[in-house]
């Protein structure tokens, strides 16, 4: 067998089941075939790839190298297929979209389902990177568009369309001295925001759009923040805050799913934090019809979230 995806799947199931007979049954193949397949691989490599003398099974050091090798082959095969797609599938339009992963969690489910349904010949390829990496890739022509936040910070060599952003809140868990029992969304005037922001904080990394604005908030109040933990994902920081690791600043779209959680949400004035969403393309570059339609769909989105 030379299919790296299938081999990876076989190894995954075998390591999960810790038994050749059970693994073969799940894979709908015979146990002798699976056993001989692993033995043939080990004979070809000249070393054992699975420690199977003890349960649970595990990859040997050589097995981990082989597993990574299969992953690389699989990835390279997929990349080759993508690069050849304009020639092998001339009727298919490909749009390479750069986006921050945590933003994609919120925005892409609102944008792509209807767009792909209306454009069955279009294929979307996602590149989930930091904002600066996505901007560089777009400027270099490696992606077709970049979906992000805070358009005022991007290069002047990019053209963008903007949508209104969301309300942001300070998330106050029960463990905080600022927590008010029996309440959910607090009146903005009920707490001193400057005092609240001096509590231990869980925040997204400095490369994120929201963190830029949060840093501006600290500077406005002349606060040196007490940051106990950072994450690439605002979803992660929100979940950590809910469990008492610290306060965080999060958006309506994430918090709307957490009504039953015993927390307080302190609204932040839009003059202090307000993030706009945008979709950017290279200036003076002719856009494909598919990309033009994607931008039109983006412009029609209602991205306002209420709690």
């Amino acid at each position: 067998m030379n299919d790296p995806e299938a081999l990876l799947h076989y190894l995954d199931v075998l390591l999960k089941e810790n038994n050749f007979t059970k693994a073969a049954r799940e894979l709908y193949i015979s146990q002798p075939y699976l056993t001989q397949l692993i033995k043939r691989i080990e004979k070809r490599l000249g070393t054992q790839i699975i420690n199977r003398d003890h349960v649970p099974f595990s990859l040997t050091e050589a097995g981990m190298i082989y597993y990574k090798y299969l992953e690389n082959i699989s990835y390279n095969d997929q990349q080759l297929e993508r690069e050849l797609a304009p020639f092998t599938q001339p009727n298919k339009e490909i749009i390479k979209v750069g986006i921050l992963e945590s933003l994609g969690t919120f925005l892409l489910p609102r944008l792509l389902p209807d767009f792909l349904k209306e454009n069955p010949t279009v294929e979307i390829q996602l590149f989930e990177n930091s904002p600066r990496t996505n901007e560089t890739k777009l400027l270099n022509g490696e992606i077709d568009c970049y979906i992000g936040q805070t358009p005022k910070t991007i290069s002047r060599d990019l053209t963008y369309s903007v949508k209104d952003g969301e309300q942001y809140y300070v998330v106050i868990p029960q463990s905080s001295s600022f927590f008010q029992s029996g309440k959910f969304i607090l009146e903005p005037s009920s707490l001193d925001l400057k005092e609240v922001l001096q509590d231990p904080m869980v925040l997204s990394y400095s490369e994120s759009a929201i963190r830029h604005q949060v840093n501006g908030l600290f500077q406005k109040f002349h606060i040196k923040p007490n940051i106990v933990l950072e994450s690439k994902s605002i979803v992660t920081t929100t979940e950590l805050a809910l469990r008492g690791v610290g306060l965080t600043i999060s958006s309506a779209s994430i918090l709307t799913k957490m009504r039953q959680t015993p927390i307080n949400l302190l609204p932040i004035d839009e003059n202090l934090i307000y993030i706009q969403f945008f979709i950017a393309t290279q200036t003076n570059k002719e856009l494909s019809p598919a990309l033009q339609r994607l931008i039109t769909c983006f412009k029609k989105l209602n991205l306002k979230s209420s709690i």
Side-chain angles (χ1 to χ4, degrees):
M1 171 179 289
N2 296 317
D3 184 345
E5 282 287 346
L7 288 171
L8 285 168
H9 181 52
Y10 283 14
L11 289 172
D12 287 342
V13 173
L14 185 54
L15 292 169
K16 181 188 75 171
E17 296 294 343
N18 301 301
N19 181 284
F20 277 83
T21 300
K22 291 180 180 179
R25 187 181 303 124
E26 182 172 333
L27 293 166
Y28 298 98
I29 59 177
S30 69
Q31 177 269 318
Y33 173 80
L34 180 59
T35 301
Q36 290 303 314
L37 175 64
I38 299 300
K39 287 182 176 179
R40 285 198 303 272
I41 293 171
E42 292 179 332
K43 182 178 180 180
R44 177 165 57 85
L45 297 176
T47 185
Q48 191 175 17
I49 63 170
I50 294 179
N51 291 313
R52 45 192 181 274
D53 296 330
H54 303 282
V55 175
F57 288 178
S58 62
L59 292 174
T60 64
E61 288 189 35
M64 288 188 280
I65 294 172
Y66 178 66
Y67 192 94
K68 186 64 177 178
Y69 165 77
L70 292 176
E71 287 183 322
N72 288 336
I73 291 179
S74 176
Y75 174 77
N76 289 333
D77 285 347
Q78 292 171 11
Q79 289 298 102
L80 177 62
E81 185 177 337
R82 287 179 175 180
E83 294 296 329
L84 291 176
F87 307 99
T88 60
Q89 305 176 66
N91 293 326
K92 177 167 283 189
E93 298 176 272
I94 298 173
I95 304 176
K96 298 179 179 180
V97 179
I99 194 167
L100 183 67
E101 182 180 355
S102 56
L103 176 58
T105 301
F106 157 65
L107 200 150
L108 294 179
R110 302 183 180 211
L111 174 64
L112 293 184
D114 288 342
F115 172 78
L116 291 173
K117 185 177 180 180
E118 296 171 3
N119 297 272
T121 63
V122 174
E123 176 184 329
I124 299 293
Q125 296 181 4
L126 294 179
F127 295 79
E128 296 171 310
N129 300 297
S130 70
R132 288 294 167 237
T133 299
N134 280 323
E135 182 175 324
T136 300
K137 284 183 174 292
L138 180 55
L139 289 168
N140 292 339
E142 298 174 52
I143 57 178
D144 300 308
C145 64
Y146 158 38
I147 298 176
Q149 298 168 298
T150 318
K152 294 179 182 179
T153 65
I154 66 172
S155 169
R156 294 182 179 179
D157 294 323
L158 299 178
T159 300
Y160 56 84
S161 298
V162 175
K163 293 293 295 184
D164 287 338
E166 301 183 89
Q167 173 73 57
Y168 276 77
Y169 301 83
V170 180
V171 181
I172 304 174
Q174 278 184 304
S175 57
S176 171
S177 60
F178 292 105
F179 180 78
Q180 299 181 18
S181 181
K183 297 182 180 180
F184 184 47
I185 299 180
L186 304 178
E187 290 294 328
S189 59
S190 63
L191 291 172
D192 185 324
L193 180 59
K194 181 176 180 178
E195 289 185 10
V196 171
L197 293 176
Q198 295 178 66
D199 251 23
M201 303 289 292
V202 184
L203 298 175
S204 57
Y205 282 134
S206 58
E207 64 187 11
S208 68
I210 177 60
R211 180 61 183 277
H212 292 164
Q213 298 228 11
V214 171
N215 286 345
L217 196 59
F218 291 138
Q219 292 171 11
K220 179 179 178 63
F221 288 118
H222 305 290
I223 295 172
K224 183 177 180 180
N226 178 11
I227 303 172
V228 296
L229 198 61
E230 293 179 307
S231 170
K232 289 183 178 180
S233 170
I234 190 175
V235 177
T236 300
T237 61
T238 303
E239 291 289 352
L240 289 169
L242 295 180
R243 285 157 178 76
V245 176
L247 277 60
T248 195
I249 293 176
S250 193
S251 63
S253 60
I254 294 172
L255 295 166
T256 188
K257 303 173 184 178
M258 302 173 181
R259 277 184 172 276
Q260 305 306 317
T261 307
I263 56 172
N264 291 157
L265 301 180
L266 180 65
I268 300 176
D269 191 293
E270 290 186 355
N271 292 317
L272 297 174
I273 289 185
Y274 185 73
I275 288 186
Q276 293 178 306
F277 303 107
F278 67 84
I279 183 168
T281 57
Q282 284 186 333
T283 301
N284 300 325
K285 181 178 179 180
E286 184 176 354
L287 305 182
S288 70
L291 182 52
Q292 291 178 18
R293 293 195 296 273
L294 181 66
I295 293 172
T296 298
C297 286
F298 177 84
K299 292 178 178 179
K300 294 179 179 178
L301 286 179
N302 179 9
L303 298 177
K304 285 285 188 180
S305 295
S306 58
I307 301 180

